């Protein structure tokens, strides 16, 4: 077999040979500014030439440690052998026929895999789409068709995409919604159990937040009008908020008791990211529908809605689909990604990454407990989906400036980190699950130095 340019031959090391970004990246950034609208932003204008394992190699020859995975997408790395091989074979066979016109096996095989991998042993169906937002939109269509109801309930700090309906479902105004309205109607937002910021304390959080959510749904919307309740089992863009234990089961029970379709948006949390195939397994929840995307296909665009057969089959024939949905190359890549996850036991790898990161980040939290310039208010997350929330000393006031400064210092040293959170004060870490432990620890060393510079 020929050597993969980003595959095994890519040295798994951090290497800085120019400033970050280097001169060739800066040249490309100037071309971007002239050719691409500024609404399409970049976290770090380092232009990538090859990537794989735990590193991104740029056009200047720098090799950066990746704690972002292209936003939780490259769980198996950016050039996993099985993904490249299967997608390559499919590419050579045919690129597209449109599954709605003349179908092919790959789509069916991915659907079968998702039906097997998602929680619950009931009969399931899966429909494939292109992006996460498109999957969420289709989950709403399916839930409305099944229930004959219109209202959709979502949560504070939730993120579900950038299309018109999913902007309405998303909580945060800037940058996702500002100036882009009017938004789709019949969307209602209720509180989520955010332990760190719950006014009466983390211990009361699950029960009180669930009671408030249920009260708002029953009094302001009417449970009998609600088609779907949609929640991320760990809220991603909202800042890796883990709803207090007990909250999700209560909401799921309420949905069940009222004939509401319970949708877990596992687009960021799915495919081994939290140390399980799907994060809702952590509390034994069996959603009616699950949306997945991001980690599903090793970097190729693919998304899915998987759920109870009787709900999924409620939409009329021809009511679901799209020209590219379940593209054969993306399906082949998805089969390669799942093969990699199974063969390398990436759930175990994710849990190991979580142990290492949480241990070192909690030590940092203690170290800076008395700092006069910032404090690490909260360290949280599961598996390879870990975050720290930065606040001003002596309270819980968000500290977005310190967060941006740490991210910037990491970038300059060749570590890709992302920020998140409604208040912009969360540093989130999403390394590829195949990252080596030496690189993981080197990345954490860089992070420690960045904190020391504050
Ligand atoms: C990223 C994300 C989406 C949107 O996915 P796109 O592929 O960007 O449309 C939806 N929900 C969650 C939880 C996400 O993290």
């Amino acid at each position: 077999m020929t050597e993969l340019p980003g595959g095994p031959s890519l040295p798994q090391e951090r290497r800085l040979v120019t400033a970050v970004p280097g001169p060739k990246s800066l040249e490309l950034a100037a071309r971007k500014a002239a050719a691409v609208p500024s609404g399409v932003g970049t976290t770090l204008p380092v232009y990538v030439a090859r990537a794989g394992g735990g590193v991104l190699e740029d056009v200047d020859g720098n090799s950066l440690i990746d704690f972002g995975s292209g936003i939780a997408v490259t769980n198996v790395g950016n050039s996993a052998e099985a993904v490249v091989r299967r997608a390559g074979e499919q590419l050579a066979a045919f690129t597209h026929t449109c599954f709605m016109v003349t179908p092919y096996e790959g789509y069916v095989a991915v659907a079968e895999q998702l039906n097997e991998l998602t929680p619950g042993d009931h009969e399931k169906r899966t429909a494939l789409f292109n992006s996460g937002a498109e999957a969420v939109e289709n989950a709403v269509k399916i839930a409305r068709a099944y229930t004959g109801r219109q209202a959709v309930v979502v949560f504070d700090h939730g993120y579900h995409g950038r299309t018109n309906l999913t902007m309405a479902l998303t909580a945060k105004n800037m940058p996702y919604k500002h100036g882009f309205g009017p938004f789709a109607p019949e969307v209602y937002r209720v509180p989520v159990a955010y332990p760190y910021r719950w006014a009466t304390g983390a211990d009361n959080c699950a029960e009180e937040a669930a009671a408030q959510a249920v009260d708002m749904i029953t009094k302001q919307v009417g449970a009998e009008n609600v088609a779907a309740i949609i929640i991320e089992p760990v809220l991603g863009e909202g800042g890796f908020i883990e709803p207090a234990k007990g909250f999700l089961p209560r909401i799921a029970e309420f949905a069940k008791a009222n004939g509401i379709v319970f949708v877990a948006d596992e687009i960021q949390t799915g495919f081994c990211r939290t140390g399980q195939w799907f994060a809702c397994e952590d509390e034994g929840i069996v959603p009616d529908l699950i949306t997945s995307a991001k980690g599903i296909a090793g970097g190729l665009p693919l998304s899915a809605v998987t759920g109870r057969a009787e709900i999924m089959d409620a939409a009329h024939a021809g009511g679901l689909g799209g020209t590219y949905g379940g593209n054969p190359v993306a399906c082949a890549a998805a089969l390669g990604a799942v093969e990699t996850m199974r063969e390398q036991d990436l759930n175990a790898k994710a849990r190991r990454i979580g142990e290492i990161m949480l241990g070192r980040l909690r030590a940092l939290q203690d170290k800076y407990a008395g700092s006069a310039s910032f404090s690490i208010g909260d360290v949280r997350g599961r598996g390879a989906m870990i975050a720290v929330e930065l606040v001003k000393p002596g309270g819980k006031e968000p500290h977005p400036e310190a967060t941006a400064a740490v991210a910037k210092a990491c970038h300059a040293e060749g570590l890709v980190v992302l920020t998140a959170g409604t208040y912009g004060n969360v540093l989130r870490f999403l390394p590829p699950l195949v990252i080596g432990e030496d690189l993981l620890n080197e990345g954490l060393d860089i992070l420690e130095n960045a904190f020391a510079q504050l």
Side-chain angles (χ1 to χ4, degrees), residues 71 130-134 136 159-163 166 232 234-237 265-269 291 293-294 302-303 428:
I71 320 188
N130 302 292
S131 69
E134 207 187 341
V136 174
Y159 179 85
H160 302 287
R162 294 173 181 266
T163 57
T166 59
E232 302 157 83
V234 179
L235 286 79
E237 304 302 304
D265 181 350
E266 294 251 18
I267 288 168
Q268 192 154 162
T269 46
T291 53
K294 294 199 164 97
L302 186 71
S303 69
R428 58 168 157 170

Side-chain angles (χ1 to χ4, degrees), residues 26 42 44 48 63 69 91 100 113-114 130 138 147 178 195 247 250 276 337 351 374:
L26 290 175
T42 37
L44 172 60
V48 175
S63 177
S69 297
L91 199 51
M100 300 181 305
Q113 270 196 346
L114 275 160
N130 302 292
N138 278 279
T147 58
H178 186 75
F247 179 77
R250 275 165 212 253
Q276 279 164 324
R351 291 195 290 270
F374 73 98

